[in-house]
Amino acid sequence: MSFLLSCPNCGPRDVNEFAYAGEVTSRPAERPSVRELATYVHFRRNVAGVQQEWWFHRFGCETWFRAERDTRTNAVLATEAAHAEPDGQAAPAEAAVPDVPAV
Amino acid sequence: MRDIFRTRRMWRPRGELKDRYDVVIVGGGSHGLATAYYLAKNHGITNVAVLEQSYIGSGAAGRNTTIVRSNYRTPEGARFYQRSVELYERLSRELDFNLLFSQQGHLTLAHSDRALITMTERAEVNQLLGIDSRVVGPPEVARLCPELDLSHDVTWPILGALYHPRGGIIRHDAVVWGLARGADRGGVEIHPYTEVTGIERSNGRVTGVRTTRGDIECDTIVSATAGWSTLVADLADVRLPITTHILQAFVTEPLKPFLDVIVVSSQMHVYVSQTDRGEILIGAEIEPYTTYRGTSTFPFLEYSARHVLELFPQLENVSVLRQWTGLCDLSPDYSPILGVTEVDGFVVSAGWGTYGFKAAPIVGTTLAELISTGRTPELIAPFTLERFYTDTLVSELAAAAVSH
């Protein structure tokens, strides 16, 4: 089977209702060099363990939220709506909504 | 008579680790073993150890869907994979081991005008490089694969296909075993159940590895660890632009041979071939989220089965026999990451996503040349890790995004 994610609005739903938008990253400095910008765009920590990540409830309430998931087990430890984020990390822009997952 | 029942070892049993090797290869899959084999064969470098955390061929090498082809979209990619196909064509003879390579042809279906245009571009790139690849219309598709449902009374009618006659399937376990035997006969040591836990460095270059069976000194480390590439690179403090996803496949019960070609539909995210055992082998796209948990999922099975029935309605009552999963290391541009890193002596074969197996022989020959001469072969220069820092990508999205 696959796994469940708990949407902050809708509660536990099948993962296939959601679009995954990658691990939470830190934006580079205001005027980044090409190298800094390329690092931000392309490189990922890809941890085997607990990871902070972005999700979008595509077939539900259409909100962005953050989840804490163990990538070794897919156990979702916590989810929290994007606006609750204190450190100024904005949710990905509307234009960045990923395509419907293939499966 | 007695000889028939004698157990023949393909390679020597694991011995004690030595204190020092010239080259340590992390990962006993098709890439690691091919690199070891060609280091010994082409360059006489035999003080080599292949370290594998599990059994030989337990990762992607034993879980892929065995397709070999070279009809890629970029000149860099197509040229590279074409050399791999040519090496695969000779490999059974070279290894003196039947790899059951069947070049029965590969059809990528077009269900839209846009897809036909993209395929025409791919065919042009391929033909300029001497690769047999062309766009064919529905009559030719019907001739090549009469079993396909070519009616217009379906969700996605078939408008044509990209036909690649030299594409085929090969017995993946045999490739692993043949390369392991060849490497072993060349003098390389193979160490299964030996996990790397650390990489020692001094003044920016590697000096050794720590393993669960003791420490080893070495000059060069090759990481060929597919879905685990990030974790091995972390040991050397090398960052990679990779995310790890699962890719799934399943087979049906064996049927009499009826499907000659490999059929791919990017539109439906599914591909189909019939194995030498008669099983219908069906694969699809990676799961969109990253994970290291290699378990199969039911939504994949349901989705893929539905689409296969749109292409082959006659499979409606066939039972599913087996489903499995492997870990893939996906790069941002769907091209591999191959060669040197910022740590001297730490060489990677990574970012293979869902197309690593088809490149095993060419990875082996080029990495062996790189290690032996210290120079990056021209063929793999476009695939350097540095391209992600300079933002000069090699986008294979059009030809590799559906995992076949």
Side-chain angles (χ1 to χ4, degrees), chain A residues 35 38 42 46 69 71 74 102, chain B residues 230 244 290-292 303 388 391:
Chain A
R35 198 174 178 87
H42 298 307
N46 194 30
R69 180 174 61 103
T71 59
N74 291 336
Chain B
T230 301
T244 296
T290 66
T291 187
Y292 286 88
Y303 171 99
F388 295 99
D391 206 29

Side-chain angles (χ1 to χ4, degrees), chain B residues 26-28 51-55 58 191-196 225 228:
Chain B
V26 189
L51 311 183
E52 164 57 49
Q53 66 172 347
S54 181
Y55 61 91
S58 55
H191 291 273
Y193 300 102
T194 306
E195 190 175 343
V196 170
T225 49
W228 295 268

